Amino acid sequence: MAKKPVLEQWNATCSADLYGVNNWGSGYFGVSDSGDAVITPFAERGPAVSIPEVIKGLKERGMDLPVLLRIENILDSQISVLHDCFNHAMRDLEYQGEFRGVYPIKVNQQEQVVERITEYGEPHHHGLEVGSKPELIAALSYLHDREACIVCNGYKDREFVDLALYANKMGYNCILVLEMPSELALILERSRALGIRPRMGIRIKLAARAGGHWTESGGDLSIFGLSTAEVVDVVDELRKHDMLDCMHLLHFHLGSQIPNIRDIRNALREACRVYAGLVDEGAAMGYLDLGGGLAVDYDGSHTNFLSSRNYTLGEYCADVVETVMSILDERDIAHPHIITESGRATVAYYSVLLFEILDASRLEDRAIPIDLPEDCPEPTENLLEVYRSISLKNLQECYNDAIFYRDEIRQMFRMGTCSLRERSVAESLFWAIIKEIAARVDEVKRPTKELAGIQDSLASIYYANMSIFQSLPDSWAIDHLFPVMPVHRMDEQPTEKVVLADITCDCDGKLDRFIDERGVRRTLDVHDLRKGEPYYMGAFLVGAYQETLGDLHNLFGDTNVASIHINEDGSFDFVRELDGDSVADVLSYVEYDPKMVLERFRNVAERGIREGRITPQDRYAIMKAFEQGLRGSTYLNGLR
Ligand SMILES: *Cc1c(COP(=O)(O)O)cnc(C)c1O
């Protein structure tokens, strides 16, 4: 394809527009005049930290890409913003209860993350949501704020219940949420045995459902929560034991990433009616827990598209507070404390995956074979004819003909009537035609679907030193879209349209769907690769769900992780670093013993000496390389 002329006036602002940073970045990311992607943790007012500068700092410390970069200030800010927005809405509407956020540990369980959330959350009494014994144990050791809630969802056994009861005795506000009717008997029994009155909640199945990827969490068919009949049974049982004063909380969870605010409002209305019903029955109550679902606008389109949301945080908070008030005021019921279990919205922004491009594979600009050999097959001559006849008026016709003659040649090749070299001449001609057509498509007023897609079919492949399966698993599993862009050279006009392939040997290990304000793009605009110069890119908003869902496809392990803290003056500190998995680490995950691996290979090397293939000195060098490989990273290094 003839490259578009590079515009003189291209600048960093054009790149910011092209990649939509200001739409999806939530004020945390931008592009500097010099073309660097920057982090702006304090929004417009504060300093901008250049991501290439951060990469330079990492490399100086011996840390290679891929690196998962965590920006602590953003986590701090997201927690504050959530509380500020709710507090603001509550003040405005004269709501009588308080807001109590909790962070669901499953969204990113890494120690660094939970540790920071409890620290940054303390001034707001931000608590934790747990769904299993390991999560409860982590919560109990990291959350020291007695005003904050620990909401215990998930299925519970005796150990789980005992631990939660002991926690209450120690002063934690630890609430056991019934997920199944049978858990009540267990809680009552353990409470009697330990002599500790439980603090309980109840999770309900709503009839309301929401649109989105994870809608199964709501609706009658949801595997979690109690039906209305079961709720009534629980109430009767509690009354029988004179324990209605132990029932404090109503919980529901619609699913994650709910793009449409109407779905949230509908579900909340239904839940408020149940809440009122429980108050009528004499339950103590006091907390209404909306679960997660607060979405992230990954594509910046601000729509009810799956990767977006059609509401702002401010609108979400105001809607929630207003809805609760409108229903409970009608009934003169005291306003409950509102809990949300926002995980995605809390942590997504704070991590960026930084990676390097290793190489490109593109349709080469081959010389067009104008002088065909004497006895070349007829379809080849026809292809040359097509090539010569291309004009703006007959693009579609030429496209059809090119496909037709190329298929004829391929057919002849299969039949053995055309040689490898003859086929190669024809294929080169074919691609020359396609490129020529692609170069003119933009001038066509209403191109057909085929013509419109032709530029995508010419996309080059950029090979990225990372594993989609390890670092962006949702992109592979559920076609989730993350914003991806280069993090430098953005003052230059990108000239290439590419798809990204990772280094796993799997045809699914690719990114070929990219964010777009109006739908999905099939290719990403990037810069050409320069010899001997690295090309750095980032996948943004990857802080939620991606780390522990990642898998060891082809045994590519965890990437390095680095956390930075940005200071008011724009300087930044590397506060924590975590080495990614070594080859020995990932082998041990799949039950190899690295010592045995070494031992076995040593025996092979020794046999090599006995058989006269290698010298003892060779063995020394070989074993050194092998051991170094075991200790080293699973990703490629030093290629460009
Ligand atoms: C997963 C989950 C959440 C987190 O949802 P987000 O959409 O990430 O905020 C909250 N509550 C429960 C019960 C969950 O299962």
Side-chain angles (χ1 to χ4, degrees), residues 90-110:
M90 286 175 163
R91 245 192 336 266
D92 265 9
L93 298 162
E94 296 181 26
Y95 190 84
Q96 303 302 312
E98 287 175 15
F99 175 66
R100 286 277 184 274
V102 295
Y103 169 72
I105 294 185
K106 75 149 196 265
V107 181
N108 191 332
Q109 307 100 326
Q110 304 292 322

Side-chain angles (χ1 to χ4, degrees), residues 359-374:
D359 206 350
S361 139
R362 57 165 62 82
L363 291 161
E364 308 115 286
D365 291 305
R366 282 179 178 282
I368 297 150
I370 299 289
D371 296 318
L372 297 181
E374 281 289 296

Side-chain angles (χ1 to χ4, degrees), residues 104 106-107 129 153 203 253 256-257 292-293 341-344 545:
K106 75 149 196 265
V107 181
E129 185 266 0
N153 294 326
R203 177 169 183 171
H253 173 64
S256 200
Q257 183 71 12
E341 304 174 346
S342 297
R344 180 184 299 279
Y545 297 104

Side-chain angles (χ1 to χ4, degrees), residues 95 202 204-208 228 231 249-252 263-281 285-290 318-339:
Y95 190 84
I202 194 163
I204 49 163
K205 269 186 197 158
L206 294 175
T228 42
V231 170
L249 174 148
L250 179 74
H251 167 65
F252 71 94
D263 293 332
I264 297 172
R265 219 183 294 128
N266 282 342
L268 182 55
R269 279 206 196 98
E270 188 183 344
C272 285
R273 299 283 173 203
V274 178
Y275 184 92
L278 286 166
V279 171
D280 288 344
E281 293 284 342
M285 302 315 286
Y287 291 96
L288 179 59
D289 178 351
L290 279 58
D319 250 43
V320 164
V321 174
E322 215 174 324
T323 305
V324 174
M325 286 178 77
S326 73
I327 291 178
L328 297 187
D329 283 352
E330 219 178 85
R331 299 281 327 282
D332 252 345
I333 290 172
H335 299 162
H337 297 318
I338 292 176
I339 296 178

Side-chain angles (χ1 to χ4, degrees), residues 181-345:
S182 61
E183 285 171 353
L184 179 60
L186 176 67
I187 293 172
L188 294 181
E189 190 246 316
R190 294 316 300 159
S191 149
R192 241 187 339 266
L194 302 181
I196 306 170
R197 278 179 88 77
R199 293 177 65 73
M200 274 190 277
I202 194 163
R203 177 169 183 171
I204 49 163
K205 269 186 197 158
L206 294 175
R209 292 189 64 160
H213 273 303
W214 290 272
T215 54
E216 297 301 318
S217 298
D220 288 332
L221 291 180
S222 150
I223 52 173
F224 299 107
L226 279 65
S227 66
T228 42
E230 288 164 341
V231 170
V232 171
D233 289 346
V234 166
V235 166
D236 290 342
E237 189 66 16
L238 286 175
R239 184 176 291 121
K240 202 167 85 193
H241 289 87
D242 202 15
M243 286 176 80
L244 277 168
D245 62 320
C246 297
M247 177 54 72
H248 296 282
L249 174 148
L250 179 74
H251 167 65
F252 71 94
H253 173 64
L254 269 182
S256 200
Q257 183 71 12
I258 310 290
N260 194 341
I261 188 124
R262 212 176 46 212
D263 293 332
I264 297 172
R265 219 183 294 128
N266 282 342
L268 182 55
R269 279 206 196 98
E270 188 183 344
C272 285
R273 299 283 173 203
V274 178
Y275 184 92
L278 286 166
V279 171
D280 288 344
E281 293 284 342
M285 302 315 286
Y287 291 96
L288 179 59
D289 178 351
L290 279 58
L294 177 57
V296 166
D297 195 0
Y298 290 96
D299 66 11
S301 67
H302 199 76
T303 60
N304 61 1
F305 190 59
L306 288 182
S307 8
S308 185
R309 63 176 190 198
N310 65 0
Y311 51 91
T312 64
L313 181 57
E315 284 159 356
Y316 172 82
C317 296
D319 250 43
V320 164
V321 174
E322 215 174 324
T323 305
V324 174
M325 286 178 77
S326 73
I327 291 178
L328 297 187
D329 283 352
E330 219 178 85
R331 299 281 327 282
D332 252 345
I333 290 172
H335 299 162
H337 297 318
I338 292 176
I339 296 178
T340 67
E341 304 174 346
S342 297
R344 180 184 299 279

